Amino acid sequence: MSACPETERFAALLRSLKSRSGLSYEALARKSGLAGSTLHRYCRGTSVPQDYGSVHRLATVCGATPDELRTLHRLWALADTARAAAERGAVPEAAGGAEPEAPQEADAKVDPKTDLKAEPKAEAPTKAPTPAQDQTPAQGQTPAQGQTPTPAQDQTPASAQGLGSTPDQGPAQAPAPAQGDDRAPEQPTPDAASGPARRPRRHRLRVTVVVAAVLAAVTVSAWVLSSGRSPSGDGDADGAGGGLRTGEAVRPLFSAGCPPVIAMGEHDECVREVQRLLHAKGADIGVDGDFGPQTLRRVTAFQVLAGLQPNGVVAEPTKEALYTSPVRMRVWSPQKVRQRVREVFPEVPDKAVAIADCQSFLDPLHILPNTNGTRNWGLFQISDARLRELGGTPREALDPEWNIRAARKLWSRDRDFGDWPHCERAADALRSPAPERT
């Protein structure tokens, strides 16, 4: 593991923090709640913690500054991604949870092929008339007197048109009884003959129109799939839906160039499109194509605000919502957060701000995972367990006003910051009293 450059950079920063703190591994273990041997492996680079929570505790015990905590978080994410890639062959861990979506895409691609295979069967009855049929005399006409019928005329059965073919008739004459014959003419009159001749043509015309409509539908379906669009969109013209729209550009996340699931550790144009869409919705995020911790937090926050499962991966539901959801992700600035925290905590304004800064860097949409699968939410990193006690939801916890007031309730129980022990120690260390003047 130490041969991995990402892991070595992460371990080097841990060693630097430990050295600066002047504490032994045993002392750090007691303060952070971790085993001494575990801390030793982390600092040597032979092991990478699977969650950032333990790293955060260790760094705060060592007195890391907010900037150092940000850098440590980034290095941990890169090292953890490298570890996961080595263990799973670079397959995103969350991709397995999205496998059920793949058959739906496969089914949508098979249907147009099935229609295309059936297309030749529909063409059979609509075969264009042969030149021989086009040359058939209409309305009972026969070859001119004394002329030998052409091959095209010979190929047309007389019974098919209900017409006679006697050499005694002129080219423009209607059929008449043979001279000296008292019987009524066996050939139909021109009016009677035109009915059977028109009916096949009308039938061919109707079949041709039906086949043309089917071909048009199949062509449109094939074009939809080839362009990477979702065939179940709303089809609105203003670009707010997910289907076919006049003049709309192809949605890259649904193209064949992007995987069904986009997750942590990827670096490509598909990640850049996710970041661009999040930024367009007001999220504070860089558009660099790197799916790192910040992108993970922003994706999870967007899923919470959009009412989706907050799993942190961009599968089909999240892709669709990124294009169609009206969710806006603009939040309070750090200056506004500080001001409001001071107003809600008038007794300990400076320490309350320091706690919030340590917990979330004053980011209202900050989300941090725990080793047991739970998460901490928002400015004061309210845990899932505390949310249940307070009757709140993750969506409410991402609201800065709700989060600050919830922290106030937790503080009011014992009028201390016991719910944030590690950040409280770090805040106390930063606020060491100045020597008294004599």
Side-chain angles (χ1 to χ4, degrees), residues 264 274 278 285 291-314 318 322 329 365-369 375-377 394-395 398:
M264 179 87 165
V274 171
L278 290 170
I285 185 173
F291 202 126
Q294 181 70 348
T295 302
L296 175 65
R297 288 192 289 268
R298 292 298 180 251
V299 167
T300 306
F302 171 75
Q303 291 170 329
V304 171
L305 297 176
L308 302 173
Q309 179 185 2
N311 53 19
V313 300
V314 183
T318 303
L322 284 171
M329 300 181 67
L365 298 183
H366 193 78
I367 301 171
L368 191 66
R375 291 185 176 95
N376 296 339
W377 306 90
R395 185 185 182 94
L398 296 183

Side-chain angles (χ1 to χ4, degrees), residues 271-354:
V271 176
R272 189 181 299 275
E273 173 72 358
V274 171
Q275 294 170 334
R276 185 189 67 79
L277 293 169
L278 290 170
H279 181 74
K281 293 184 179 300
D284 179 15
I285 185 173
V287 183
D288 57 3
D290 185 8
F291 202 126
Q294 181 70 348
T295 302
L296 175 65
R297 288 192 289 268
R298 292 298 180 251
V299 167
T300 306
F302 171 75
Q303 291 170 329
V304 171
L305 297 176
L308 302 173
Q309 179 185 2
N311 53 19
V313 300
V314 183
E316 183 174 349
T318 303
K319 292 179 182 180
E320 186 66 29
L322 284 171
Y323 285 112
T324 62
S325 174
V327 165
R328 303 298 299 168
M329 300 181 67
R330 294 193 181 277
V331 294
W332 292 2
S333 65
Q335 294 76 14
K336 185 175 181 179
V337 170
R338 290 189 184 95
Q339 177 183 351
R340 187 56 183 154
V341 170
R342 291 177 180 276
E343 293 171 352
V344 177
F345 289 88
E347 302 88 348
V348 283
D350 293 338
K351 189 170 183 178
V353 170

